[in-house]
Amino acid sequence: MLNVKDVVANLDVVREKLAQRANAETLSQISELAGLRSQRIQEIEALRYRQNEENKKIKAIVAEFGPKSEQMAQARKGQKELSEQIKGLDPLVKEVEEDLSKLLMSVPNLPHESVPVGKDENDNVEISRWGEPPKMDFEPKWHDELGRDLGILDFESGAKIASARFTVLKGLGARLERALANHFLNTLTERGYTEIFAPTLVNTPTLLGTGQLPKFEEDLFKIGGDWDLYLSPTAEVPMTNLVSQTVLAKDQLPLHMCCYSSCYRSEAGSYGKDTRGYIRQHQFQKVEMVHVCDPETSYDELEALTANAEYLLQSLGLAYRKIVLCTGDMGFGAAKTYDLEVWIPSQNTYREISSCSNCEDFQARRMMARYKDSTDKKSKPKLVHTLNGSGLAIGRALVAVLENYQQKDGSVVIPEVLRPYMGVDRITP
């Protein structure tokens, strides 16, 4: 959520930046509402000033004419009228503030100055590549075909017991998913992360805090009945909200957390995309990373967070590329985002497996997540910066392992780092 004072004070700059994200249309309304709010607050302050002045006069009237005099009655009548005017304006100010808050909730974050300007994914900029795609002397199979042949991916049973885009993993497929999760968690905790296990049901304030509501409500699964609960779309939501309504000590920062969880998305905005196989599911597993830090170090933290996601890909020996998203392709709350895209042989292209973003103070303002320098007693709490990234999307990692390590005989070799978890070095038909 943007700071309304900064928006109004720098309207032209904000309009230019939001135009890069194709979302500048609400700024005029925000400016008008902010002006109306300021006007009504000034009216209230003027009335309160008159109240104070009348209070001073009342003391003199009591001294000269007495507390039950006609002059005193007139003075009290004037005070009552002023109080009623103030009471009448108070709800009007509250109404404007609520409308202003709703508008601000719909405005995306401003892009960092280093983000390339562009309209969509075609304008993203490749930063680097790691590894070489495997050279195969046979036509690589799609992961769904491999999974069926190996007896480890059961799409039909997933559709039967739930619906389309749900999948049952069996035998060594289930073990491979668990092995990937364990490897990612163990690696990240060895690199200094605190492991979190959080609820996968979250309430409205929690989703508002990280920006999923109100913007993306149609992509969420809501629990029926009297419950104010949704299935969490990502562990970023509960993890980041651990610091909501909190004032941290500066020396507690940075916080590095990771969490393994099931994630749930209706994919309302993705009809027709990736309907084949295990790429885009309504339920999927992910290990998520969240960093909370002071503003001075947040872009160093972004590089560190992204490097950890890259390390996980490298540990699996998977070729990938790193791109920086342009202004038109970034997520709602991000000021800057790196995507890591892993090589998928069957599609002869790179596909996203991790998205690492710096949200700066956009989420912190919504959550009232702050920090204070405990050595300076006069300092006021400041907003933290929050970052998040996949470390990694487990389903997509499983797809990448199956396709990149497939053999001509239909078997799949297990990457070396996963063998202690798997107990086998190969999955065979």
Side-chain angles (χ1 to χ4, degrees):
M1 183 172 171
L2 303 180
N3 185 328
V4 65
K5 292 182 180 178
D6 291 344
V7 170
V8 174
N10 303 284
L11 202 61
D12 290 340
V13 174
V14 174
R15 181 177 285 110
E16 181 182 350
K17 284 183 174 290
L18 286 182
Q20 297 168 0
R21 304 200 65 174
N23 198 303
E25 61 272 10
T26 58
L27 283 186
S28 296
Q29 293 173 271
I30 289 172
S31 181
E32 288 173 12
L33 284 173
L36 181 58
R37 173 179 175 274
S38 178
Q39 176 188 327
R40 288 178 176 171
I41 288 174
Q42 287 175 16
E43 290 174 11
I44 291 173
E45 289 176 347
L47 289 169
R48 284 179 176 156
Y49 176 80
R50 284 177 58 191
Q51 265 189 327
N52 291 334
E53 292 300 306
E54 292 299 319
N55 284 335
K56 294 175 184 177
K57 291 179 183 178
I58 284 174
K59 291 181 181 179
I61 290 171
V62 169
E64 185 173 351
F65 301 104
K68 296 183 179 181
S69 64
E70 185 179 339
Q71 291 87 344
M72 186 63 184
Q74 289 295 321
R76 290 199 181 281
K77 182 181 178 182
Q79 282 285 66
K80 185 178 180 181
E81 289 175 353
L82 287 171
S83 293
E84 288 175 351
Q85 289 181 57
I86 291 170
K87 286 180 182 178
L89 283 171
D90 277 338
L92 295 179
V93 171
K94 186 178 180 181
E95 181 183 335
V96 171
E97 287 177 339
E98 288 175 353
D99 290 342
L100 191 56
S101 179
K102 287 177 183 177
L103 278 176
L104 284 168
M105 285 285 189
S106 70
V107 178
N109 204 353
L110 301 181
H112 187 261
E113 59 187 12
S114 64
V115 173
V117 177
K119 292 182 179 180
D120 53 36
E121 61 183 15
N122 296 313
D123 296 318
N124 295 337
V125 177
E126 184 175 313
I127 302 297
S128 61
R129 294 192 181 197
W130 186 92
E132 291 291 332
K135 296 177 180 178
M136 299 175 177
D137 59 358
F138 59 94
E139 185 70 24
K141 292 181 179 179
W142 279 65
H143 65 277
D144 57 334
E145 186 180 353
L146 279 165
R148 287 190 177 97
D149 291 346
L150 294 169
I152 61 175
L153 292 179
D154 186 347
F155 301 99
E156 290 73 21
S157 291
K160 180 177 72 173
I161 62 179
S163 77
R165 296 198 186 184
F166 287 90
T167 304
V168 173
L169 282 78
K170 294 180 176 179
L172 290 177
R175 195 186 301 180
L176 178 56
E177 179 121 350
R178 179 160 52 93
L180 287 162
N182 282 330
H183 171 58
F184 295 159
L185 286 170
N186 288 343
T187 302
L188 290 173
T189 52
E190 287 168 5
R191 294 170 80 86
Y193 283 77
T194 298
E195 184 177 349
I196 303 294
F197 189 79
T200 53
L201 289 172
V202 290
N203 58 30
T204 294
T206 298
L207 289 160
L208 284 168
T210 45
Q212 276 73 26
L213 286 178
K215 179 73 173 175
F216 302 106
E217 185 164 13
E218 66 173 3
D219 284 323
L220 301 172
F221 286 107
K222 192 176 194 307
I223 301 301
D226 297 329
W227 296 93
D228 175 31
L229 290 172
Y230 296 78
L231 290 169
S232 176
T234 166
E236 168 204 341
V237 175
M239 264 200 298
T240 309
N241 273 277
L242 290 176
V243 299
S244 67
Q245 306 297 323
T246 300
V247 179
L248 299 162
K250 186 176 182 179
D251 57 13
Q252 289 179 268
L253 301 176
L255 301 177
H256 292 173
M257 299 175 281
C258 66
C259 180
Y260 166 71
S261 75
S262 291
C263 308
Y264 302 88
R265 297 179 189 176
S266 73
E267 299 288 356
S270 303
Y271 290 121
K273 293 182 179 178
D274 298 319
T275 55
R276 177 175 177 176
Y278 200 49
I279 290 285
R280 194 181 294 273
Q281 300 277 287
H282 291 309
Q283 176 188 333
F284 59 96
Q285 277 53 246
K286 182 154 64 94
V287 172
E288 185 76 0
M289 303 176 288
V290 163
H291 290 198
V292 180
C293 64
D294 68 75
E296 293 179 2
T297 63
S298 68
Y299 278 93
D300 291 333
E301 291 289 328
L302 177 60
E303 298 300 325
L305 181 143
T306 308
N308 285 330
E310 290 187 70
Y311 182 81
L312 293 173
L313 283 168
Q314 292 170 13
S315 72
L316 294 172
L318 296 172
Y320 68 90
R321 68 172 188 160
K322 175 182 175 182
I323 62 174
V324 58
L325 300 192
C326 71
T327 53
D329 197 35
M330 283 198 305
F332 179 75
K336 184 174 183 177
T337 298
Y338 292 118
D339 268 8
L340 302 180
E341 297 181 342
V342 68
W343 179 255
I344 302 296
S346 65
Q347 299 179 39
N348 197 39
T349 191
Y350 293 93
R351 298 298 304 272
E352 179 200 332
I353 193 169
S354 177
S355 191
C356 300
S357 299
N358 185 356
C359 297
E360 296 186 355
D361 62 9
F362 187 81
Q363 295 177 327
R365 181 171 285 104
R366 289 170 172 246
M367 297 186 303
M368 287 304 291
R370 296 167 293 168
Y371 75 99
K372 190 177 186 298
D373 187 347
S374 56
T375 62
D376 183 359
K377 294 182 179 180
K378 295 182 179 179
S379 68
K380 295 181 179 179
K382 300 176 183 177
L383 294 171
V384 298
H385 278 193
T386 60
L387 304 91
N388 61 80
S390 306
L392 300 161
I394 294 171
R396 295 194 176 198
L398 184 145
V399 166
V401 167
L402 290 180
E403 292 207 9
N404 282 276
Y405 284 93
Q406 63 180 296
Q407 306 298 304
K408 194 171 186 177
D409 63 1
S411 66
V412 173
V413 172
I414 301 299
E416 211 168 305
V417 292
L418 299 180
R419 291 176 189 177
Y421 303 103
M422 291 292 294
V424 298
D425 60 9
R426 186 185 293 260
I427 303 175
T428 57

